Amino acid sequence: MTSQPRKIFAISELCTACRSCEIACAVAHSRSASLIGAILEVPLPRYRIEVQAGSTLNLPLNCRHCDEPECLFACKAGAVSKDEATGQVRVDLEKCVGCWMCVMICPYGAVIPDALIGKAAKCDLCENRAEGPACVTSCLTGALFYGTEEEFEEYRNTRPLLKQLKAHR
Amino acid sequence: MHHVIIGNSAAGIGAAEAIRQIDKEAPLTIISDESESAYSRALISYELAGWIGKGNLDLRPREFYQEKNIAAHLGKRAIKIDAGKKQVHLNDGSRVDYDRLLIATGGSPQQMGVPGEDKKGIFGFRNYRDLLNIYDAIITAEHGVVLGGGCIGLQAASGLHHHGVKTSIAIASAHLLSQVADAECGDIYQRLFESNGIAIKTSMKPVEFRGVGQVGSIGFDDGSEMPAQIVISGKGVKPNTELAEGTKIKVDRGIIVDDRMCTAEPDVFAAGDVAVTQDCVTCESTVNAVWPCAYEQGRTAGFNMAGRDRVYDGSMRMNAAEFFRVPLISIGVVKPQGDGYEVHSYLDKSRMVYWKMVFKGKLLVGAVLVGRVERAGVLANLMRKHIDVSSIKGELLAGRYNYALIKPLAEGAE
């Protein structure tokens, strides 16, 4: 890998579980690319980021594009690949047969079995979207960030809201 | 350092990719008795059922060997390992020298041990050759019988049905998927298959294949007979351990390996459906012949072959499948025997939703999910890492499991 891969990072403390990212993700993965259009589509477009609520935290979670992608190892259809240049883990929907091996193996539960099309849905980093990942651009509190790990650390350390939150506690 | 891999499926490819991740230059040879470029055996059932186009079984692009600088000896069978000379003998008389060798020869369908099983029209369902033979037989077959009610058997039955063959499944056990899941799960799929026009006969064993040259019917131990011009044996596979003969490699059902996938013979590794590993949930030594384990074992072997120390953290009994659009995931201990287990389940027959969780003490040790399989990997993660789930049991049982729930526990376990 030549440079650090760019990924989507989440700051749990800033997530209010408004689920704007889920909607933006679904719209970004719809054919019409508009909210109204997306709602009317058959099959409904599937969002690939989920705001999960734990007992102590809100976590907007999508594919981690792992360095050791277990979904790739487990895929018996050869549908999952890792881009060595960008680090992105991709699913080739032409090849996916919906065997759900990836759903069974992903330790994050970040591969979504899209029952409507019978194939695995997961974050593709909105690679064809000029503005970058829709979840990130839609987040109202800056809880999501797209960049390298280093860039994320810097971003995280400079969030005024995060400082306020810490002071508040 | 010349790496030689015998086997061209999940474990073999897993090893090759691991070796190339570390070492782009070292000579690497793959030997396979099948002549096809790496394809997925597991996809033959999907092709038969019409889910994917014919010949679309590639596990890796055809350029894989060239791109990864791998010498591929395809269509040649390794017949002997000379560990003293560090050579593999092939069936064409040639010999391949190795410094590190991986046996990833997989398994073969078990013989049924039934008179007449060599008749025409009776097939295993394991490789591409089987698939092509089945295509030929389908053309004239009116009735088909699948013997075996595991994932392979059910997929084979769906495939025959798809091609208009009047299809039945006959099994020795009392319910479908007896090795994969439990009776409740089996019942769901039995009703599903029956409602789709596939007959299921349980608790009966074949005693004879009848017909002159070509199979025409099957006689069963209860005296009944079923017409069948095509028979697919969905019985389990047995490890292909023949290459261990004449070496120090220990075999007990499969090839015995250490936690780095190394056999008793130095520099000889084994991985995949041929290898005996420790199950990380039950701690028993077993052959967990499933795709994800095979790849991971191959990958572990590959790293160790290439000189990067890597310990295998154990296999897991796991299965994922989908039949007639109803998905199934089954992980770990799902039919607990003995004391100390706590079992919870939920069944909604009309919506074909079923789940079951098996606990032992503070640990989740098994799960069956039918109909809704989202986030199953989170459960597998809990089992693999032996995470104490006592504080989140309520959420697990309510189906409210996700990574956010287990994150504090999972990070604590690392």
Side-chain angles (χ1 to χ4, degrees), chain B residues 189-205:
Chain B
Y189 286 103
Q190 177 159 352
R191 279 183 290 111
L192 182 64
F193 271 70
E194 286 170 345
S195 68
N196 277 282
I198 296 174
I200 314 257
K201 308 274 186 196
T202 58
S203 308
M204 56 199 280
K205 284 184 186 163

Side-chain angles (χ1 to χ4, degrees), chain B residues 12 73 130 391 401:
Chain B
H73 293 294
D130 293 330
S391 65
Y401 48 85

Side-chain angles (χ1 to χ4, degrees), chain A residues 51-127:
Chain A
V51 178
Q52 302 186 347
S55 39
T56 53
L57 76 169
N58 296 325
L59 185 66
L61 189 92
N62 55 8
C63 172
R64 308 281 79 217
H65 299 277
C66 299
D67 293 335
E68 290 272 305
E70 291 196 45
C71 55
L72 189 162
F73 304 158
C75 181
K76 62 185 188 182
V80 186
S81 60
K82 187 168 176 75
D83 189 318
E84 285 185 25
T86 65
Q88 183 179 347
V89 176
R90 286 194 188 89
V91 178
D92 179 350
L93 290 183
E94 292 285 311
K95 295 211 76 177
C96 174
V97 295
C99 72
W100 313 134
M101 286 282 165
C102 51
V103 174
M104 175 172 74
I105 208 84
C106 173
Y108 302 103
V111 188
I112 294 158
D114 187 343
L116 298 177
I117 59 165
K119 290 178 190 274
K122 70 166 211 59
C123 169
D124 56 6
L125 297 173
C126 287
E127 58 180 323

Side-chain angles (χ1 to χ4, degrees), chain A residues 50 52-57 59 61 68 70 72-78 84 95 97-101 103-109 113 115-118, chain B residues 40 42-43 46 51-52 58-60 68 291-292 295-296 299 310 318-322 325 327 329 373-378 380-381 384 402-404 407:
Chain A
E50 271 186 334
Q52 302 186 347
S55 39
T56 53
L57 76 169
L59 185 66
L61 189 92
E68 290 272 305
E70 291 196 45
L72 189 162
F73 304 158
C75 181
K76 62 185 188 182
E84 285 185 25
K95 295 211 76 177
V97 295
C99 72
W100 313 134
M101 286 282 165
V103 174
M104 175 172 74
I105 208 84
C106 173
Y108 302 103
L116 298 177
I117 59 165
Chain B
S40 176
L43 288 188
Y46 290 88
W51 285 44
I52 52 175
D58 290 350
L59 179 60
R60 292 292 181 267
K68 298 276 182 188
W291 190 278
Y295 188 98
E296 198 81 51
R299 186 169 176 79
R310 165 88 66 129
M318 50 167 67
N319 273 287
E322 180 169 306
R325 309 224 63 169
I329 287 181
V373 298
E374 287 88 346
R375 295 182 288 277
V378 169
N381 196 353
R384 184 191 300 280
N402 55 37
Y403 187 69
K407 188 170 183 261

Side-chain angles (χ1 to χ4, degrees), chain B residues 260-272:
Chain B
R260 288 167 173 81
M261 309 310 297
C262 193
T263 69
E265 194 72 72
D267 297 327
V268 181
F269 297 73

Side-chain angles (χ1 to χ4, degrees), chain B residues 52-130:
Chain B
I52 52 175
K54 281 199 178 183
N56 232 343
L57 306 177
D58 290 350
L59 179 60
R60 292 292 181 267
R62 303 266 165 107
E63 309 80 45
F64 175 78
Y65 304 97
Q66 206 184 343
E67 277 175 6
K68 298 276 182 188
N69 188 20
I70 296 169
H73 293 294
L74 304 182
K76 294 179 189 172
R77 175 182 285 273
I79 51 172
K80 183 178 166 13
I81 295 169
D82 184 337
K85 288 189 182 151
K86 289 198 155 189
Q87 274 183 339
V88 180
H89 297 205
L90 306 185
N91 64 343
D92 65 353
S94 62
R95 296 175 183 192
V96 178
D97 295 315
Y98 69 82
D99 294 303
R100 302 268 158 80
L101 175 68
L102 175 68
I103 304 173
T105 45
S108 300
Q110 280 170 5
Q111 293 288 94
M112 291 178 280
V114 176
E117 72 178 288
D118 54 351
K119 287 190 199 305
K120 277 179 73 180
I122 303 174
F123 307 103
F125 198 45
R126 177 76 180 162
N127 56 35
Y128 194 58
R129 179 56 40 195
D130 293 330

